[in-house]
Amino acid sequence: MLASPRCGAKTRCGGACRAPAMHSKTRCRMHGRHKGIRSPRATRNARKHCLFTRDAIEERRQMRRCSGKCRRCWRG
């Protein structure tokens, strides 16, 4: 297992994936794509919704700013 070739994909941090590559392939089972399987171009899983949309994040930021201002006003 330690001597097996490693996946050549890059992680989000910029480092290399440390998983072992599939037999006669250069990518691991997570990063390699089987020839017969294709995902649709715009999958619904990739969309952001509910708490993680830009609008919701900005609204929470504004509420934090407002609550911080209110605390400072009450302290005097």
Side-chain angles (χ1 to χ4, degrees):
M1 185 72 169
L2 292 173
S4 62
R6 298 292 154 181
C7 177
K10 286 190 178 181
T11 62
R12 291 180 184 177
C13 296
C17 176
R18 295 179 184 166
M22 291 188 289
H23 183 66
S24 72
K25 304 281 183 185
T26 59
R27 301 285 188 238
C28 67
R29 64 186 179 89
M30 296 297 217
H31 294 111
R33 193 178 92 189
H34 193 270
K35 286 185 178 180
I37 301 170
R38 290 191 63 125
S39 61
R41 290 220 178 237
T43 61
R44 298 177 100 187
N45 297 334
R47 293 182 187 166
K48 290 190 174 186
H49 58 281
C50 293
L51 296 174
F52 302 104
T53 60
R54 286 186 185 139
D55 295 334
I57 292 169
E58 185 58 34
E59 184 179 352
R60 286 194 298 271
R61 285 181 185 154
Q62 289 176 354
M63 292 184 76
R64 272 187 251 130
R65 286 186 207 124
C66 182
S67 64
K69 289 177 184 177
C70 292
R71 287 185 198 138
R72 281 184 245 132
C73 290
W74 282 100
R75 289 181 186 171

